[in-house]
Amino acid sequence: MKMKKVLAAALTAALALSLAGCLNQAPANNNGGGSAASNNNSGASQSAGTSTPAPNPDGAPVITSTDKVEMIWSHNAAVTTAGHKAAEKFKEAMEQYSGGNITVTLYPNGELGTVPENDQALREGTIQISSGTTGGLVDPSLSYFDCPNLVDSNEQAKAMLDRSGELYQYTEEVYAGIGMKMLSIVPGGFRETSSNKPVRSYEELAGLKIRTLENPIAISYWQSWGCNPTPVTFSELYIALQQGLVEAQENAYDTIVASKLYEQQKYIINTHHVIMWSGMYMNLDFYNSLPADYQELINWVVAEIYEPFLYEESIKANDEALQTMKDAGLEVIDFTAEDLAKMRQAAQPAYDLIRQTVGDEPMELIAAAQAAAAG
């Protein structure tokens, strides 16, 4: 994998600290996966610390471990997005509540590589944390997150993936199977359609030249709606719109604004076709190598600070981004409930493809969670 100079520097520092730790202490206590010293994929660097046990503010777990741990978090979101702001909240809380024993270094904006490169680096343990949209692009076994027109609102999506539910627990097991500890999945708004061509109903989607993800499921549902989907690398999308290679694209509002894609578009069409599930993941071996109180702190910070902030900030960011596009002169077109129902019905080939990819169990869990959330 192609890594940039900043990663090399970070890893050099981590290696030096790890070597110092090996000379001065025994391996850290392990709760479920082998010590960091014996695990080549952990990426943890630990040494004897002198910090006193952390207090218990705001209900945070009491920290008695003194191991020094460094975490590298790489993601591809811009620093202005809700995703990066939430990562900053996690960093601040972890460093505060661990008494400075845990440090988190953030690399946003794809500084360390593309989305697939970050996923691979996380599996290998080169980085410890990553975040971004979940689904088939992470691993085919997660393609059930790509189901089109699944829910009508963020609230329904949030209810579907309640931590105590079977769907959430099943997804944790899927991520563990690919070497990742799933820490969080939060709905972050819908992928909507932007276009230079007015599309005022489901029927008018026919013939639309739209950039889509390099994902056979996404290609399948856009084709089922009569469109001409064209996979384009995200970094090349602005130019593709500018030069007319494609006339439309689909992303969350805040992504469209942060990447200035709206500068090359005239219309926003609220197709609500796919929920943007924002996931946060840690290398599984690294997580298992940590002391139990550090694991507890990570889980607490994610559930009590990171997730609520990300959920609310995502809604706020999307509302602000939509207003930015309106102010820039883009016309907003709302699909009717009838249009959305037609999209869901026509997308059956994509659902069949997802079932062929992931099997019956997750699709049954998705259907049950959807029915419960719809209420």
Side-chain angles (χ1 to χ4, degrees):
M1 173 184 303
K2 181 180 179 181
M3 287 292 164
K4 301 184 179 179
K5 292 181 179 179
V6 65
L7 178 57
L11 295 179
T12 299
L15 179 60
L17 185 57
S18 178
L19 290 173
C22 291
L23 293 173
N24 291 297
Q25 73 169 67
N29 174 44
N30 173 36
N31 294 275
S35 71
S38 64
N39 192 332
N40 291 331
N41 288 335
S42 72
S45 56
Q46 303 177 349
S47 64
T50 58
S51 300
T52 57
N56 190 16
D58 306 324
V62 173
I63 300 301
T64 57
S65 295
T66 58
D67 302 319
K68 298 291 185 181
V69 175
E70 294 183 347
M71 302 179 185
I72 295 174
W73 183 341
S74 175
H75 65 79
N76 289 73
V79 295
T80 56
T81 62
H84 182 71
K85 292 176 183 177
E88 291 178 321
K89 287 286 185 182
F90 176 84
K91 168 185 168 66
E92 177 184 343
M94 289 299 300
E95 293 178 354
Q96 174 187 344
Y97 294 147
S98 70
N101 288 327
I102 299 174
T103 59
V104 182
T105 304
L106 303 176
Y107 293 98
N109 241 349
E111 292 177 8
L112 300 187
T114 63
V115 171
E117 287 174 339
N118 276 335
D119 287 342
Q120 185 63 29
L122 185 66
R123 287 177 167 123
E124 294 174 350
T126 309
I127 61 176
Q128 287 71 55
I129 311 174
S130 188
S131 54
T133 303
T134 190
L137 287 180
V138 176
D139 191 84
S141 62
L142 292 159
S143 295
Y144 53 93
F145 282 104
D146 299 329
C147 291
N149 297 99
L150 187 63
V151 294
D152 299 328
S153 66
N154 282 296
E155 292 76 17
Q156 283 187 8
K158 185 179 181 182
M160 281 186 62
L161 220 63
D162 182 88
R163 284 179 175 270
S164 63
E166 291 183 72
L167 179 60
Y168 190 95
Q169 293 165 11
Y170 176 88
T171 303
E172 284 186 308
E173 294 176 1
V174 174
Y175 268 100
I178 58 175
M180 299 182 189
K181 169 67 176 177
M182 185 183 88
L183 296 174
S184 170
I185 294 185
V186 177
F190 289 95
R191 296 183 78 90
E192 308 287 12
T193 305
S194 68
S195 175
N196 285 325
K197 170 186 173 182
V199 178
R200 303 188 183 279
S201 68
Y202 165 73
E203 287 75 16
E204 291 185 6
L205 282 170
L208 187 69
K209 293 192 303 180
I210 186 166
R211 175 268 179 182
T212 190
L213 299 168
E214 298 178 55
N215 180 335
I217 293 166
I219 293 171
S220 174
Y221 58 68
W222 283 110
Q223 286 177 335
S224 73
W225 297 331
C227 301
N228 296 318
T230 302
V232 176
T233 303
F234 187 77
S235 61
E236 299 174 353
L237 178 53
Y238 187 96
I239 298 298
L241 290 168
Q242 187 179 56
Q243 296 180 348
L245 176 62
V246 291
E247 61 186 341
Q249 66 86 45
E250 37 102 23
N251 265 297
Y253 295 146
D254 65 335
T255 302
I256 297 172
V257 169
S259 303
K260 301 186 184 300
L261 299 174
Y262 71 98
E263 295 177 349
Q264 301 298 327
Q265 303 278 254
K266 297 178 181 178
Y267 304 94
I268 294 294
I269 303 103
N270 288 327
T271 46
H272 292 358
H273 55 280
V274 173
I275 272 283
M276 294 284 286
W277 301 97
S278 299
M280 174 187 177
Y281 323 105
M282 183 172 285
N283 175 275
L284 182 61
D285 288 336
F286 175 85
Y287 178 86
N288 287 339
S289 76
L290 297 172
D293 54 348
Y294 284 6
Q295 293 178 356
E296 186 180 359
L297 179 61
I298 290 169
N299 297 338
W300 183 87
V301 169
V302 169
E304 300 298 324
I305 297 176
Y306 173 84
E307 273 193 2
F309 178 86
L310 178 58
Y311 181 75
E312 295 299 330
E313 191 68 18
S314 295
I315 293 173
K316 176 184 174 184
N318 278 311
D319 288 345
E320 292 176 350
L322 180 59
Q323 188 60 51
T324 295
M325 291 187 286
K326 288 180 178 179
D327 293 344
L330 277 72
E331 180 183 348
V332 178
I333 301 171
D334 290 313
F335 267 21
T336 66
E338 183 181 1
D339 287 321
L340 299 177
K342 289 178 180 178
M343 292 179 72
R344 171 66 177 83
Q345 184 176 6
Q348 188 58 48
Y351 275 81
D352 293 340
L353 179 58
I354 294 169
R355 186 177 290 272
Q356 292 170 15
T357 304
V358 304
D360 292 335
E361 183 177 3
M363 298 305 287
E364 291 169 0
L365 292 174
I366 279 277
Q370 180 193 39

